[in-house]
Amino acid sequence: EADMFPQSLYGKGRINPTQNFVNAFPMANGYPIDNEKSGFNAANPYADRDPRLTAYVVYDGNGAGKDNTAINTTVDDSQNRDGLNNEVGSSTRTGYYMRKLLRQEINLDPSAKTTQKHYNARIRFTEIFLNYAEAANEAWGPTGKGNHSYSAYDIIKALHERAGVGNDYLESIKNDKDKMRELIRNERRIELSFEGFRFWDLRRWKANLTEPAKGISIKTVDGKKTYTTIEVDKRDYKDYMIYGPVPYSEMLKFDELKQNQGW
């Protein structure tokens, strides 16, 4: 919490979710925000979204900490310690702060004392089911069950119901293997976020690694907030970087060991 909380809660704000990640959360009805049936409103981008967005990400106006304090990430006030880039090294670079995995009842005030514990999962049911859903969709299609009692469709439906997300979009694609693959991968991105999976998923899917990390700049104009997407970090990966280098210390141990191409 000391590393991740916003500065106003005595944190260092070190991990900042990206706009790319925020865009991955569908609307509450289950439709992706770029779908014409989603009802997404760019002028009010956090309204009627997948409830997991509020649970995982601190966005402008979202509450955090023991008192559920509303966090202000706008760029209007240079004295606002939580505002976008207001203090280099501790204010958010993307317009967002991390909420997932953090205990909000923690009080980091130096005059307070907290003894709460963290329990780290070794493996989660959610990961196991998403692994199965991905394999089942490739083997038997979205609704195929093989010799088992549930399908990829069944798993995604159950995850959505647990999260409070509608299944309108899921129902519309349940016979489309490619669309289901896309949805399963997006569910992995959301459900397993900040747990060390994304780095490896992108590589095994041979997905685009050069997409820039983006953020949001929020300003108040004539009493209304405007939202402008900004580029925060470039990502410059070459094709060979899908595979990492074999450590040099290992190369020295065996003459016949060949370094991965490009390294």
Side-chain angles (χ1 to χ4, degrees), residues 183-242:
L183 181 57
I184 292 169
R185 289 181 178 184
N186 197 64
E187 282 298 309
R188 286 187 68 89
R189 183 177 193 173
I190 293 172
E191 283 283 341
L192 304 179
S193 57
F194 309 113
E195 296 180 36
F197 290 91
R198 185 71 174 166
F199 178 88
W200 305 106
D201 281 346
L202 288 174
R203 282 158 178 75
R204 69 183 177 84
W205 294 332
K206 295 188 177 179
N208 178 23
L209 300 178
T210 60
E211 180 183 357
K214 298 178 181 178
I216 195 76
S217 176
I218 306 173
K219 297 180 180 179
T220 304
V221 179
D222 297 329
K224 295 183 178 180
K225 289 183 177 180
T226 63
Y227 301 84
T228 304
T229 300
I230 59 172
E231 185 173 300
V232 177
D233 256 344
K234 292 185 181 297
R235 296 286 186 263
D236 185 17
Y237 288 94
K238 309 302 181 186
D239 289 344
Y240 70 85
M241 293 180 180
I242 290 175

Side-chain angles (χ1 to χ4, degrees), residues 10-81:
Y10 302 96
K12 299 182 180 71
R14 286 180 171 166
I15 291 183
N16 305 146
T18 62
Q19 186 64 46
N20 318 57
F21 177 61
V22 170
N23 288 347
F25 289 83
M27 297 298 287
N29 60 17
Y31 278 95
I33 63 171
D34 59 358
N35 189 291
E36 60 181 9
K37 295 182 179 180
S38 70
F40 175 71
N41 180 5
N44 191 13
Y46 311 122
D48 300 320
R49 297 289 291 276
D50 179 336
R52 291 174 294 184
L53 176 59
T54 300
Y56 292 0
V57 177
V58 177
Y59 50 79
D60 182 61
N62 191 10
K66 68 181 184 64
D67 297 321
N68 201 34
T69 305
I71 302 301
N72 175 10
T73 66
T74 65
V75 296
D76 297 324
D77 181 4
S78 61
Q79 301 303 310
N80 171 27
R81 302 178 69 198

